[in-house]
Amino acid sequence: MSKISFRKRIQITKRGFAYLNRYCPGLPQGKALSALISSVQPLLSIWLSARIINELTGAKRPDALTFYVGLVLLVNVISSLLKSLIDKVTDQKEAQMWIFFEKVFSDKQMTMDYADLESAEIQHQHKKAYENLFMFGNGLAQLVWGTAGLVNASVSIIVSIAMTITLFTQKTDYKWMDSPLWIMGILLVIVGGGICNQKLTMVEQRIFRKWCEGTVWFNRSFMFFGRELYMNLDRAKDVRIYRQYDTADREHEKMRIHNKDDNGLILKMSLLPSVTGLAVGMGNVACYLYVVLKSFFGAFGVGNIVQYVGALSRLGEGIQELMFILGDNEVYCTHLQDLFNYLDIPNKKYEGTLPVEKRAFCVGGDNNYEIEFRNVSFCYPGAEKCALQNVSMKFKIGRKLAVVGMNGSGKTTFIKLLCRLYDPDEGEILLNGIDIKKYDYDEYMSIFSVVFQDYRLFAFSLAQNVAAGVDYHKEKVEHCLRQAGFGKKLSEMKDGIETALYKDFNRDGAPVSGGEAQKIALARALYKNAPMVVLDEPTAALDPVAEAEIYERFNEIIGDKTAIYISHRLSSCKFCDEIAVFHEGAIIQQGSHKELLAEESGKYAELWNAQAQYYA
Ligand code: ADP
């Protein structure tokens, strides 16, 4: 564990509090207030009890006794009421803090570059920060708990010192008993106990962190092989058919071995608290002896014994707690640093600031968007071969472009780059002559409606799926669904567009077949009404009748929008104005269906002839 400087720790802690205030406002403040009451109240009670005992063993003045007893009752009632009120609110916030901590992660993931989601290194960083927080409360949760500890320790130290001063100023008849060396000795015992406690705690924390480091991969495979593999519906079919239980069992076996390695670390951690307890106990015994001796030699009455013993033991606890918090701060700062390293991963796609001209939406808009790929090359991280190599092409606006080619030829990658899911390694993509990286990302994305091959629908209502939002325009949703060929099915649905999809959150949720889902995804793209529509194998899951229907009405559906249409089924591209043929990451031919067929030795003619025999 690399050491973090004190200055850096203050910065990290401040940033941690800023996150707490943003995601769970009022929680640290509530904890601090509650701790303030908890630390002052017992010390005040001890002080008042000492006064009462002194009165009882001394002058026994009724008015003074009534005053002290009344004050004890008042202090206890008011502080208990106030504390339970604050705790009620704070406990609710604390119970919910885990949901807000989830949001810290989901906010980051929502804005994270898509390429980063695939990176193994970043996935590891995410797991490490996530697990430390949610499995052990490290980092932000420690900061919440630490706030209470810090207030408790500081107040206890200050108040108990104030309550102990007279222990050293009141004189006995014996000079040796009043020597200032006693003060030094007592302080040494108390502070020494605190330091010893803190050092041992640090050792324990270091062992714990070592243990945590080793568990990131372990937990990841545990989650996957123990839960995901069986619970995730997307995987459950294949797990059953290909009987993947054996693989999972073997992984479980590895986990048991991993656990054995960890047992040594856990044993070490469990031994340390008993050593700490012994050191603290010996310190307390020394303090008690001194107070009792001083009273025995006549420095003060019995009541003060209660006050000094109570205050000294709180002072000891306060110092231990403060030491622990300072040590703990070093530990949670390393966890917070891990979290902030993850949260600070730059979002390249959000670096652009230029607005996109709203050509399609303004009055008399000419929809004049021009996209150009200029010498674009791209390799997936870690891939040996580039998915796109030196691709150059221009889209003619308002026209229908088909992108064809064999599986793995780079068609989807081409679209992913266009939508800035990835940025090119070489070359540039231009929108109206300007590099797309320079545009504001959200504005840039507003000109695209995309249906990916592996699109996903969500367990919301049909309308919310189509509108991709909570609010929607009823007639527009129905119109888009009908345009996408979902009209007949919609008329059979009891709750119409309000019907929930899937059963995740609704017992009556409607299951949807692959073909129906594809139509809904198409309707979602139409609802967005963006000037450029990208369809990646949009009819792959449709039956031949539905497919033919979509093609027949393709021009009507797309209207005057620019359409990019990806398919490996060449017959479905005939109606496009222009066709680009991809092969091994490069565009090897471009032209109309007729022109490309005329190139008899070309790839397009080869693919066409190969597929034509099946249609024949
Ligand atoms: P197509 O859409 O033409 O079938 P893709 O663009 O999906 O082809 O893939 C082009 C190449 O890039 C293929 O060799 C594929 O294996 C590879 N590829 C696709 N996605 C990834 C990825 N996320 N990571 C690494 N390689 C990928």
Side-chain angles (χ1 to χ4, degrees):
M1 182 166 63
S2 59
K3 247 185 149 19
I4 306 179
S5 71
F6 190 67
R7 223 174 115 178
K8 182 89 190 144
R9 274 162 58 186
I10 292 178
Q11 279 172 5
I12 294 175
T13 310
K14 266 169 75 180
R15 190 168 170 204
F17 275 118
Y19 267 86
L20 289 183
N21 279 330
R22 189 156 130 218
Y23 285 91
C24 353
L27 180 58
Q29 292 85 344
K31 282 268 165 196
L33 214 57
S34 171
L36 181 73
I37 297 171
S38 321
S39 47
V40 170
Q41 189 251 349
L43 284 167
L44 213 55
S45 294
I46 290 174
W47 187 82
L48 289 167
S49 304
R51 303 285 78 73
I52 293 168
I53 295 170
N54 278 346
E55 276 301 321
L56 287 172
T57 54
K60 290 187 181 150
R61 291 169 298 169
D63 52 340
L65 273 170
T66 318
F67 174 72
Y68 287 133
V69 172
L71 208 57
V72 168
L73 291 176
L74 204 69
V75 164
N76 279 293
V77 169
I78 291 181
S79 58
S80 301
L81 271 177
L82 210 62
K83 188 168 156 21
S84 60
L85 208 72
I86 294 167
D87 283 350
K88 202 167 159 36
V89 180
T90 315
D91 287 352
Q92 266 176 11
K93 281 183 187 282
E94 190 173 345
Q96 289 169 345
M97 77 179 177
W98 302 103
I99 303 169
F100 294 114
F101 291 163
E102 284 278 1
K103 193 147 175 11
V104 173
F105 284 87
S106 55
D107 280 354
K108 173 67 189 169
Q109 273 156 337
M110 272 302 288
T111 54
M112 204 162 190
D113 287 348
Y114 180 82
D116 287 342
L117 293 178
E118 278 193 325
S119 149
E121 174 53 35
I122 288 174
Q123 275 188 36
H124 185 78
Q125 252 181 301
H126 167 257
K127 279 280 167 196
K128 193 167 154 189
Y130 187 88
E131 274 169 16
N132 269 317
L133 181 56
F134 288 96
M135 294 181 88
F136 312 114
N138 288 332
L140 285 176
Q142 270 176 313
L143 197 57
V144 173
W145 302 322
T147 309
L150 183 66
V151 172
N152 199 21
S154 320
V155 174
S156 296
I157 291 171
I158 294 168
V159 179
S160 48
I161 285 178
M163 282 170 63
T164 340
I165 287 173
T166 50
L167 166 66
F168 302 104
T169 54
Q170 294 179 90
K171 305 279 180 227
T172 61
D173 299 333
Y174 302 91
K175 259 208 167 120
W176 60 271
M177 205 58 235
D178 302 327
S179 161
L181 283 177
W182 282 104
I183 306 180
M184 312 261 285
I186 294 283
L187 282 179
L188 210 70
V189 167
I190 293 177
V191 176
I195 293 176
C196 175
N197 188 13
Q198 188 251 348
K199 293 274 174 231
L200 290 173
T201 309
M202 287 304 295
V203 174
E204 187 185 342
Q205 291 281 4
R206 235 166 263 151
I207 299 173
F208 180 64
R209 191 165 161 84
K210 195 170 158 201
W211 181 76
C212 290
E213 288 284 339
T215 57
V216 176
W217 282 109
F218 165 78
N219 289 331
R220 224 164 134 177
S221 33
F222 185 80
M223 286 296 190
F224 184 77
F225 290 105
R227 199 181 67 181
E228 273 275 293
L229 201 57
Y230 303 113
M231 295 295 288
N232 188 318
L233 274 182
D234 286 349
R235 298 193 168 106
K237 280 197 299 290
D238 293 308
V239 168
R240 277 158 181 74
I241 290 169
Y242 294 103
R243 301 192 58 78
Q244 297 269 277
Y245 313 113
D246 296 346
T247 326
D249 275 352
R250 209 168 312 141
E251 291 302 322
H252 272 294
E253 191 51 38
K254 276 192 211 159
M255 289 176 211
R256 269 199 286 278
I257 296 166
H258 173 93
N259 268 350
K260 251 188 248 164
D261 293 345
D262 279 347
N263 284 348
L265 291 178
I266 293 169
L267 187 70
K268 265 192 206 166
M269 276 193 281
S270 61
L271 281 178
L272 287 170
S274 38
V275 181
T276 315
L278 193 69
V280 171
M282 279 164 55
N284 281 343
V285 169
C287 291
Y288 291 169
L289 271 179
Y290 175 70
V291 173
V292 172
L293 273 179
K294 219 168 164 182
S295 175
F296 182 74
F297 288 120
F300 40 75
V302 188
N304 285 44
I305 296 183
V306 174
Q307 175 179 328
Y308 298 136
V309 165
L312 279 176
S313 79
R314 275 308 293 141
L315 179 63
E317 282 164 17
I319 289 176
Q320 279 167 35
E321 196 168 0
L322 188 71
M323 291 299 206
F324 172 79
I325 283 162
L326 291 179
D328 200 37
N329 171 264
E330 190 175 337
V331 177
Y332 65 68
C333 275
T334 58
H335 290 294
L336 282 175
Q337 176 90 73
D338 286 344
L339 173 69
F340 295 148
N341 284 346
Y342 170 70
L343 296 177
D344 290 341
I345 293 169
N347 298 343
K348 286 186 231 93
K349 69 179 185 205
Y350 278 106
E351 280 167 10
T353 50
L354 282 185
V356 173
E357 293 167 78
K358 299 284 187 296
R359 286 176 177 271
F361 310 127
C362 57
V363 179
D366 55 5
N367 196 10
N368 195 5
Y369 293 106
E370 188 184 59
I371 297 249
E372 181 183 355
F373 272 60
R374 201 181 277 171
N375 308 112
V376 170
S377 296
F378 174 75
C379 304
Y380 284 99
E384 280 174 16
K385 216 170 152 230
C386 286
L388 288 185
Q389 291 175 43
N390 203 21
V391 168
S392 294
M393 73 146 13
K394 265 188 186 176
F395 308 157
K396 296 189 180 88
I397 301 308
R399 296 185 58 152
K400 320 286 177 243
L401 168 76
V403 175
V404 302
M406 299 204 295
N407 283 339
S409 57
K411 305 183 293 293
T412 301
T413 308
F414 172 76
I415 298 304
K416 284 182 180 168
L417 260 64
L418 178 64
C419 297
R420 289 213 61 200
L421 293 178
Y422 300 94
D423 285 327
D425 295 329
E426 279 170 32
E428 50 187 0
I429 304 168
L430 310 164
L431 169 68
N432 293 350
I434 298 173
D435 192 328
I436 58 173
K437 287 189 214 165
K438 294 191 177 145
Y439 287 105
D440 175 279
Y441 178 76
D442 292 329
E443 286 223 3
Y444 174 72
M445 283 313 295
S446 69
I447 65 168
F448 293 101
S449 278
V450 189
V451 182
F452 282 109
Q453 247 173 41
D454 52 357
Y455 65 89
R456 284 280 179 272
L457 299 178
F458 307 101
F460 308 139
S461 73
L462 178 58
Q464 285 170 340
N465 266 286
V466 173
V470 182
D471 303 317
Y472 49 85
H473 189 285
K474 191 171 176 287
E475 283 76 31
K476 191 172 160 193
V477 169
E478 287 171 350
H479 175 70
C480 294
L481 281 166
R482 264 183 242 112
Q483 265 195 318
F486 196 78
K488 186 164 174 289
K489 176 79 185 172
L490 181 63
S491 61
E492 290 164 7
M493 287 175 138
K494 190 163 61 73
D495 296 324
I497 58 169
E498 310 295 342
T499 309
L501 298 191
Y502 311 113
K503 298 198 187 291
D504 303 49
F505 299 114
N506 194 321
R507 278 163 200 252
D508 301 326
V512 273
S513 71
E516 286 160 358
Q518 201 157 35
K519 288 175 187 171
I520 299 171
L522 192 58
R524 178 171 63 185
L526 296 175
Y527 187 94
K528 190 174 172 189
N529 195 23
M532 208 168 285
V533 182
V534 181
L535 304 172
D536 190 354
E537 302 276 3
T539 56
L542 300 188
D543 58 60
V545 178
E547 187 180 20
E549 194 188 317
I550 294 274
Y551 291 147
E552 266 168 34
R553 294 194 296 112
F554 194 80
N555 282 335
E556 180 203 329
I557 293 173
I558 299 297
D560 60 354
K561 298 180 179 80
T562 303
I564 303 171
Y565 182 82
I566 302 179
S567 183
H568 61 262
R569 242 180 281 179
L570 302 200
S571 60
S572 56
C573 305
K574 270 198 314 190
F575 60 88
C576 289
D577 307 310
E578 194 167 12
I579 299 168
V581 184
F582 273 69
H583 186 63
E584 295 183 353
I587 298 179
I588 51 167
Q589 280 179 295
Q590 201 171 341
S592 69
H593 172 69
K594 254 191 175 164
E595 287 163 358
L596 293 180
L597 261 194
E599 294 174 29
E600 281 175 21
S601 56
K603 188 82 189 165
Y604 186 82
E606 179 197 320
L607 291 172
W608 177 263
N609 292 330
Q611 291 183 4
Q613 55 179 309
Y614 295 109
Y615 296 120

